[in-house]
Amino acid sequence: MINHLAIVGATGAVGQEACRILEQRSTPYGQLTLVASERSAGTRLRVNGEDLEVQELTEKSFAGVDFAIFSAGGGRSRQFAPIAVGAGCIVIDNSSAFRMDPEVPLVVPEVNPGDLKSHNGIIANPNCSTIVMNVAIWPLHRTNPVQRIVVSTYQAASGAGAAAMEELRSQTADFLAGRPVEPKVFPHPVAFNLFSHNTPIDQGGYNTEERKMIDETRKIFHEPTMAITATCVRVPVLRAHSESINLTFERPITPDEVREVLSSAPGVTIVDDTKTNTFPMPLAASGKDDILVGRIRQDASQPDGRGIEMFVCGDQLRKGAALNAIQILEALTA
Amino acid sequence: MINHLAIVGATGAVGQEACRILEQRSTPYGQLTLVASERSAGTRLRVNGEDLEVQELTEKSFAGVDFAIFSAGGGRSRQFAPIAVGAGCIVIDNSSAFRMDPEVPLVVPEVNPGDLKSHNGIIANPNCSTIVMNVAIWPLHRTNPVQRIVVSTYQAASGAGAAAMEELRSQTADFLAGRPVEPKVFPHPVAFNLFSHNTPIDQGGYNTEERKMIDETRKIFHEPTMAITATCVRVPVLRAHSESINLTFERPITPDEVREVLSSAPGVTIVDDTKTNTFPMPLAASGKDDILVGRIRQDASQPDGRGIEMFVCGDQLRKGAALNAIQILEALTA
């Protein structure tokens, strides 16, 4: 039972999506409070037929609030999530602030719902690319352990927020009109271009997004040494992430076995029509709850039959962020 | 010495690029004839200050022509290349018609120029994605044999020709204006979307583009059993292909060793600035001769030190097609 739910970062891309999902799923709650930074406070938003004024995020925002979904950046989560917990609120945090904290469960409800039991007030929502990959791989891993993952991503602008989506639109219009393109949100032009994910590169040469995919998957799967490598790339797509995934299993596995497992896996829709060349596409995944999985085939480079290739797409704002958070909320209150 | 050069498919995207490259490189030739299908015959084009009328492709197009670059589709190559050879012409064919013919050399001049010696009138220009990958990998393979390649591509619209590039532009404008998007050249919407390469899928689940990358690389490298797997994807980019490449070498290798080898490799420019997050991008590769290579790092999923990750971009119309053909022409006449 949710008496009083707060959405922190309600005017952002993920916060807005969370409001839409609450409506669509008819998630029951007593009271809803929308919270955002000073800049957006005062905005009025309509959720479930109710006209709500967005409140400014302060230390007093959580009085009487029993659940809060935070999606306002790592800095605000680090500052305000402990305050919310102190006020008796359970926080589902969409930022990376607490994800690798051993005291904080990091949960994809289709994968490790049992980890929810051990929370101390904060539950972390994984990185969007991690969620999209984990929903597709976990059911396979359970039947035949995955020994190595090689993933390359095709990530939408939505991962960098609403302003990044608008930059993709406006920059593309500028490009088509022959006007100069001026990157502001992204460090490089995004219109008709793509670039390595714009997060810092560590000593090992991996960027932060790639490390998240590696470290978070290991934590969610309870496989602390799983061999994973990732290459994360931004593409000029608005809101769904795609991933080309190469897997090595412990034992030989066939594409038909993969299809059989995934056909009954929660949160997965197989889109794999080789006759019409219809496979997962970000436009088709946008607005969908499920992760689309296709191009399922035996990896020709692993002659021992232990290799599988597949291509997946998932709505970054939805299952990659807001929906996963609301699924956690629903699991906590079930 | 080139007495008389013909460009077949002169009005297409690759043919046009070939004309520009002839100008830019001041490749010496006596006479230039531009040839195209009936539909484009009569068009006037300016090359090297000369105003040329495009001739219709017929069985008589090759009288007195000593070299021809074909870029007018596999059907026309199959029909007219043997006729050209019969007329005493050497054909450099950009289509896939003859690439896997054991009698036909398949050449990337930076990789296997020696194969040019054994031609019987036709030399095949490899697939664009193959060329981009091979230029980057070959110098490494020579110093430490590559045992396995896992590649995922991000392929530009230009690979499907000038009409596809125009479709990307016009469809994007339609999308931004809220008009319905109607795919014509591609089977799926390409604006703000991406999709599995639209070529037929074989029994093994690979599409034709992926098989080309596998089979052609094996032929060019003279490694008929090399372990290669590829996932080929179209992205809303105009003219340069990108590839995320995961390599397994015979012996351990470090990113510094890779950089050292590639820093002196022909046709390669390293773009790998981890401090400013500047890596290969299709916009930066467009119009460039070299393949850009970056994100060079030790693959964290291969703890024996034999794994390397890298990201490459190459101009599909240029090194991926027209430039490679003209480099073959130059090597034949050097």
Side-chain angles (χ1 to χ4, degrees):
Chain A
M1 180 59 198
I2 307 165
N3 289 313
H4 188 168
L5 172 66
I7 296 182
V8 180
T11 56
V14 175
Q16 283 290 287
E17 193 65 25
C19 292
R20 277 189 288 272
I21 293 170
L22 284 177
E23 294 175 337
Q24 290 162 353
R25 293 171 79 91
S26 305
T27 309
Y29 58 82
Q31 185 182 345
L32 176 66
T33 296
L34 304 183
V35 185
S37 63
E38 193 183 352
R39 194 166 47 88
S40 301
T43 310
R44 300 197 75 87
L45 295 171
R46 204 163 180 81
V47 185
N48 269 324
E50 212 183 346
D51 188 48
L52 297 168
E53 183 178 312
V54 177
Q55 307 296 312
E56 185 185 341
L57 175 61
T58 70
E59 301 197 353
K60 306 205 168 138
S61 295
F62 304 95
V65 173
D66 49 356
F67 293 96
I69 295 175
F70 271 65
S71 193
R76 289 197 189 86
S77 290
R78 267 184 293 272
Q79 185 180 352
F80 289 99
I83 293 168
V85 172
C89 178
I90 295 175
V91 171
I92 302 163
D93 182 35
N94 197 48
S95 84
S96 63
F98 303 103
R99 286 183 193 147
M100 296 312 296
D101 183 332
E103 303 295 314
V104 173
L106 179 67
V107 175
V108 180
E110 290 87 346
V111 178
N112 59 335
D115 289 353
L116 286 174
K117 285 179 209 136
S118 60
H119 77 81
N120 292 311
I122 300 176
I123 293 123
N125 210 40
N127 170 275
C128 44
S129 304
T130 306
I131 295 174
V132 169
M133 179 168 84
N134 287 9
V135 169
I137 294 180
W138 174 252
L140 303 171
H141 182 65
R142 285 183 68 184
T143 55
N144 187 342
V146 171
Q147 296 203 320
R148 184 176 174 225
I149 303 172
V150 180
V151 59
S152 296
T153 70
Y154 305 66
Q155 296 186 226
S158 57
M165 296 170 78
E166 181 48 35
E167 174 155 294
L168 171 56
R169 281 195 201 89
S170 64
Q171 222 181 61
T172 304
D174 286 343
F175 184 100
L176 289 171
R179 292 188 292 264
V181 161
E182 288 172 30
K184 286 173 194 161
V185 179
F186 289 121
H188 306 291
V190 65
F192 302 113
N193 196 28
L194 54 82
F195 47 86
S196 177
H197 197 278
N198 49 303
T199 38
I201 308 284
D202 67 17
Q203 287 290 330
Y206 284 82
N207 63 42
T208 308
E209 183 81 357
E210 292 159 356
R211 284 293 177 203
K212 287 176 185 171
M213 290 190 79
I214 296 168
D215 295 341
E216 294 180 16
T217 300
R218 288 171 168 174
K219 176 168 176 174
I220 295 162
F221 281 17
H222 296 255
E223 295 284 3
T225 61
M226 194 174 199
I228 307 172
T229 181
T231 300
C232 290
V233 177
R234 291 259 193 229
V235 294
V237 162
L238 284 164
R239 64 173 277 171
H241 286 356
S242 306
E243 302 179 3
S244 172
I245 300 176
N246 182 282
L247 298 170
T248 304
F249 290 86
E250 186 177 287
R251 305 181 304 275
I253 184 167
T254 68
D256 281 344
E257 289 174 294
V258 170
R259 277 186 206 99
E260 196 186 329
V261 170
L262 292 182
S263 64
S264 60
V268 170
T269 297
I270 296 178
V271 180
D272 204 20
D273 187 343
T274 57
K275 292 210 178 74
T276 63
N277 232 307
T278 303
F279 303 109
M281 296 190 290
L283 274 190
S286 294
K288 296 259 189 2
D289 286 352
D290 273 10
I291 305 303
L292 311 184
V293 183
R295 294 305 317 279
I296 299 165
R297 60 203 193 278
Q298 198 86 53
D299 173 4
S301 76
Q302 300 189 63
D304 57 6
R306 297 191 299 130
I308 288 288
E309 288 268 27
M310 60 191 202
F311 193 79
V312 308
C313 291
D315 188 317
Q316 184 274 325
L317 290 175
R318 216 166 165 87
K319 182 57 184 167
L323 174 62
N324 197 75
I326 288 173
Q327 287 175 309
I328 289 173
L329 179 68
E330 290 172 349
L332 287 169
T333 55
Chain B
M1 179 59 197
I2 306 164
N3 287 312
H4 189 168
L5 172 67
I7 296 181
V8 180
T11 56
V14 175
Q16 283 290 289
E17 193 65 25
C19 292
R20 276 189 288 273
I21 293 170
L22 285 176
E23 295 175 337
Q24 289 162 353
R25 293 171 77 92
S26 304
T27 309
Y29 59 81
Q31 189 181 342
L32 177 66
T33 296
L34 304 182
V35 185
S37 64
E38 192 182 354
R39 192 167 47 90
S40 301
T43 310
R44 301 197 75 87
L45 295 171
R46 205 164 180 80
V47 185
N48 269 323
E50 215 182 345
D51 187 50
L52 297 168
E53 184 178 312
V54 177
Q55 307 294 311
E56 185 186 341
L57 175 61
T58 70
E59 301 196 353
K60 305 203 168 138
S61 294
F62 304 95
V65 173
D66 48 358
F67 293 96
I69 294 174
F70 271 64
S71 192
R76 290 198 188 86
S77 289
R78 269 185 291 274
Q79 185 180 352
F80 290 99
I83 293 169
V85 172
C89 178
I90 295 174
V91 170
I92 301 163
D93 182 34
N94 197 49
S95 85
S96 62
F98 304 103
R99 286 183 194 149
M100 296 312 295
D101 184 331
E103 303 295 313
V104 172
L106 180 66
V107 175
V108 180
E110 291 87 346
V111 177
N112 60 335
D115 289 353
L116 287 174
K117 287 181 204 131
S118 61
H119 78 82
N120 293 310
I122 299 176
I123 294 123
N125 209 39
N127 169 274
C128 45
S129 304
T130 308
I131 295 175
V132 169
M133 180 169 82
N134 287 9
V135 169
I137 294 180
W138 175 252
L140 303 171
H141 182 64
R142 285 183 69 184
T143 55
N144 186 344
V146 171
Q147 296 202 322
R148 183 177 175 225
I149 302 172
V150 180
V151 59
S152 295
T153 70
Y154 305 66
Q155 297 186 226
S158 57
M165 295 170 78
E166 181 48 35
E167 175 155 292
L168 172 56
R169 278 195 203 89
S170 64
Q171 222 181 60
T172 304
D174 286 344
F175 185 101
L176 289 172
R179 291 188 293 264
V181 161
E182 289 172 30
K184 286 171 193 161
V185 179
F186 289 121
H188 306 290
V190 64
F192 301 113
N193 195 27
L194 53 83
F195 48 85
S196 178
H197 197 278
N198 50 303
T199 39
I201 308 282
D202 66 17
Q203 287 290 329
Y206 284 83
N207 64 42
T208 309
E209 183 80 357
E210 292 159 354
R211 283 292 178 203
K212 286 176 184 172
M213 290 190 79
I214 296 168
D215 295 341
E216 294 180 15
T217 299
R218 288 170 167 175
K219 177 168 176 175
I220 296 163
F221 281 16
H222 297 257
E223 296 283 4
T225 61
M226 194 173 199
I228 308 172
T229 182
T231 300
C232 290
V233 177
R234 291 260 192 227
V235 295
V237 162
L238 284 163
R239 63 172 281 171
H241 286 358
S242 306
E243 301 178 4
S244 172
I245 301 175
N246 182 282
L247 298 170
T248 304
F249 290 86
E250 186 178 288
R251 303 182 305 276
I253 184 168
T254 68
D256 281 344
E257 289 174 293
V258 169
R259 278 187 205 100
E260 195 184 330
V261 169
L262 292 181
S263 64
S264 59
V268 171
T269 297
I270 296 177
V271 180
D272 204 18
D273 187 344
T274 56
K275 293 212 177 73
T276 63
N277 232 307
T278 304
F279 303 109
M281 296 189 291
L283 274 191
S286 294
K288 295 259 187 8
D289 287 352
D290 274 10
I291 304 305
L292 311 184
V293 182
R295 296 300 322 275
I296 299 165
R297 60 202 192 278
Q298 197 87 55
D299 172 4
S301 76
Q302 299 189 64
D304 56 6
R306 298 191 298 131
I308 289 287
E309 289 268 28
M310 60 192 201
F311 194 79
V312 308
C313 291
D315 187 318
Q316 183 274 326
L317 290 175
R318 216 168 164 86
K319 181 57 184 169
L323 173 62
N324 197 74
I326 288 174
Q327 287 176 308
I328 290 173
L329 179 69
E330 290 172 347
L332 287 168
T333 56

